[in-house]
Amino acid sequence: MKRLKSAIVMLLIAFSACSPSQQTKPEEHSKKVAETTKSQVNYLVYVPSIVRIESFDKSRFLESETAFFVDSNLIVSRLTPVIEATDALVIPWNEEKKYKIEGFVAVDRINDLVLLKTDRLVRPGIPLEKQTAGKDKKSIYLTQPAGNTLPLHNGKVNKLGNIGGALRYRVTNQFRSKSYGTPVFAGENCIGLGYADLIDYENINLVTPSTLIIDLIKKATEQAHPLSQLKSSADKATSEANKRIKGLLIETDFGNIKIRLYNETPEYRDNFIALAKENYFDSLLIHRVIKGFCIQSGAADTRYAGKNDIVGWKGPGYTLPAHIVPGLFHKRGVIGSPRKPDRGNNKRRSDGSQFYIVTGRKYSDSELNEISNETGYQFSPQQRLSYKTIGGAPHIDGSYTIFGEVVEGMDVADKINAVAVDSDFRPSQDIRIRRISIIK
């Protein structure tokens, strides 16, 4: 109980509580207020800039969570509560009126952040700390004023590092679900966005660093995009434009790979292009290399991964329905989408961001016959010829979605496929995708 009391400071906000006593002269009171202002932060000024967000899938209520203004009409929120939303409303802490969210202007799926634009509500942005908060730095967050008090919850910063596949501060503050998304302060500046998560069976209190929010603000577009596009679907006009894209360039530490995406799988094409435009793939590891089979990347938990971290389990927050096109097969150079095993994934939905490039090997007729007997998949004469002369990965035909192919740079893929790996097929030395860009 004593520990709980020490973690919460009740700041009186009623005018009567701040009034000088009858025994105090006005000039003496002004001096005391000035001294207090120098030594304490007046967190009351931030209350109008903190809001509650309510998300909806059409008329169906989804979630409610805290968020806050970082510019006059821009609100930063966790992506989680709005990723399935078509609409959202925002309610400032200091009033009960609800305002419509116009849409989003930037998203960081790796770090579970989204920048939302308000329709008619304008508030001052909460100042963001531009530097990394040091260990043992005092951290404070607010909860919504009740009556004449503003609760301040104290804690401290433990460390900054890769936690749960993302860059996070670990703090001693105790966040409850109603305060997820709250601004966390160290002095006058906000060091990030707070929430709690269950990681390795332990409930951990975390803060998404303000430096990541600042980077997101730099990527904001002028025009707001509908929230529905956060679910990876493209509108008709965007999808039509994507048909005309010549290809994409994957820049890696080992060289460049040019690819083209198939129009036969438009949802995969549009999703991959959208993620590339969001800079989602930047700095992700090529985290899986199996000689004679494939190289794999696109896992959200690899950007900040350390040498001993287990990677490859985190996606962008959604999966894609299987789209296995007759006639497309795993010849050398094709690009496909990995997925979880059939057990627990009987619809064979694909990971929303991971992809593999088949490097493959050549197969004999007898090997192809054996694969057919095991899988029930029947190879056409054309497929057999390709597997015997060019190579590929016939054992996964008919089970995984293929959505593109390499048009230049297979020598780079082969070079990566030849590196030393550990027992989990992760390269012994990190190999990263520097970025993926659109070729117009």
Side-chain angles (χ1 to χ4, degrees):
M1 181 62 72
K2 289 182 179 179
R3 185 178 179 183
L4 179 61
K5 287 181 179 179
S6 65
I8 304 177
V9 178
M10 307 302 277
L11 177 65
L12 297 180
I13 63 174
F15 177 77
S16 59
C18 297
S19 299
S21 65
Q22 293 180 351
Q23 291 79 20
T24 306
K25 294 180 181 181
E27 60 271 18
E28 292 177 355
H29 172 68
S30 298
K31 183 179 179 181
K32 288 182 178 180
V33 170
E35 290 173 350
T36 301
T37 303
K38 288 181 181 179
S39 60
Q40 295 181 358
V41 178
N42 180 15
Y43 290 105
L44 285 171
V45 299
Y46 299 129
V47 169
S49 299
I50 305 176
V51 301
R52 187 175 80 254
I53 285 180
E54 294 179 349
S55 60
F56 300 85
D57 180 7
K58 297 179 181 178
S59 60
R60 181 171 64 92
F61 175 78
L62 295 175
E63 293 187 58
S64 176
E65 195 163 294
T66 304
F68 57 96
F69 277 84
V70 291
D71 204 347
S72 59
N73 65 343
L74 297 181
I75 295 172
V76 68
S77 166
R78 289 206 309 153
L79 176 60
T80 298
V82 297
I83 194 169
E84 296 292 332
T86 57
D87 300 283
L89 299 174
V90 57
I91 308 97
W93 270 13
N94 65 335
E95 60 177 284
E96 296 182 358
K97 185 176 179 180
K98 297 184 178 183
Y99 298 85
K100 184 179 174 62
I101 290 293
E102 186 178 342
F104 74 97
V105 294
V107 61
D108 180 351
R109 298 180 192 274
I110 301 286
N111 289 296
D112 195 33
L113 289 174
V114 65
L115 205 58
L116 305 170
K117 189 173 184 180
T118 56
D119 191 7
R120 292 182 301 235
L121 181 63
V122 175
R123 292 293 163 87
I126 288 177
L128 298 172
E129 178 58 58
K130 297 178 182 179
Q131 305 297 324
T132 299
K135 190 176 184 298
D136 294 329
K137 186 83 172 178
K138 183 179 179 181
S139 53
I140 294 174
Y141 78 93
L142 328 177
T143 44
Q144 193 163 2
N148 64 344
T149 59
L150 175 65
L152 304 181
H153 303 258
N154 292 330
K156 68 177 182 179
V157 176
N158 275 343
K159 67 175 183 177
L160 174 66
N162 175 31
I163 303 175
L167 190 64
R168 296 289 183 264
Y169 292 114
R170 187 166 180 170
V171 295
T172 62
N173 304 83
Q174 300 294 310
F175 299 114
R176 297 182 179 180
S177 58
K178 288 185 178 180
S179 62
Y180 289 2
T182 184
V184 180
F185 298 90
E188 295 182 352
N189 290 341
C190 170
I191 63 168
L193 179 152
Y195 69 103
D197 200 3
L198 190 66
I199 299 175
D200 294 334
Y201 306 103
E202 180 185 1
N203 193 59
I204 301 177
N205 295 282
L206 304 167
V207 175
T208 304
S210 54
T211 51
L212 297 177
I213 300 173
I214 292 171
D215 289 342
L216 188 64
I217 294 170
K218 293 176 182 177
K219 298 174 183 176
T221 58
E222 287 292 330
Q223 184 178 359
H225 310 286
L227 291 180
S228 58
Q229 289 187 12
L230 290 172
K231 292 191 289 188
S232 83
S233 59
D235 56 42
K236 187 175 180 180
T238 301
S239 190
E240 284 297 319
N242 287 342
K243 286 182 181 179
R244 298 188 290 273
I245 288 177
K246 293 180 180 180
L248 296 97
L249 183 67
I250 304 175
E251 298 176 40
T252 81
D253 290 340
F254 276 39
N256 297 341
I257 302 171
K258 291 183 181 179
I259 66 172
R260 73 177 183 93
L261 304 180
Y262 296 151
N263 290 330
E264 293 90 336
T265 47
E267 64 274 59
Y268 283 76
R269 175 200 65 207
D270 295 344
N271 175 66
F272 195 92
I273 291 171
L275 292 177
K277 287 180 177 179
E278 290 174 11
N279 304 110
Y280 177 92
F281 297 109
D282 294 8
S283 296
L284 297 189
L285 291 176
I286 295 174
H287 66 275
R288 193 166 184 242
V289 170
I290 303 178
K291 289 180 175 60
F293 178 20
C294 73
I295 62 174
Q296 185 172 322
S297 186
D301 54 359
T302 63
R303 181 175 290 169
Y304 309 107
K307 287 291 184 183
N308 298 320
D309 291 338
I310 298 173
V311 297
W313 53 268
K314 189 176 181 182
Y318 58 85
T319 58
L320 297 174
H323 189 166
I324 298 171
V325 178
L328 295 181
F329 61 101
H330 284 87
K331 64 183 179 180
R332 173 174 158 81
V334 300
I335 300 165
S337 185
R339 60 176 177 80
K340 291 182 178 180
D342 291 353
R343 185 178 180 180
N345 183 25
N346 57 3
K347 293 186 178 179
R348 295 180 170 179
R349 292 185 68 90
S350 301
D351 187 276
S353 61
Q354 292 194 50
F355 65 96
Y356 56 82
I357 296 174
V358 173
T359 49
R361 67 172 178 85
K362 297 176 183 179
Y363 286 77
S364 66
D365 273 319
S366 61
E367 287 178 308
L368 295 173
N369 291 339
E370 187 176 343
I371 292 171
S372 288
N373 291 334
E374 289 179 357
T375 64
Y377 186 89
Q378 299 301 312
F379 301 106
S380 69
Q382 177 195 2
Q383 290 170 338
R384 282 181 174 270
L385 179 62
S386 180
Y387 284 134
K388 289 189 294 182
T389 59
I390 299 173
H395 58 290
I396 55 174
D397 278 343
S399 298
Y400 291 79
T401 298
I402 296 167
F403 65 94
E405 66 179 37
V406 174
V407 295
E408 187 177 322
M410 273 306 294
D411 58 324
V412 175
D414 289 336
K415 193 185 304 182
I416 295 170
N417 195 239
V419 301
V421 298
D422 63 18
S423 58
D424 293 318
F425 301 103
R426 177 176 168 178
S428 301
Q429 298 296 320
D430 286 350
I431 306 170
R432 295 190 182 275
I433 290 179
R434 295 178 180 177
R435 68 170 182 159
I436 297 181
S437 55
I438 311 296
I439 301 172
K440 301 226 173 154

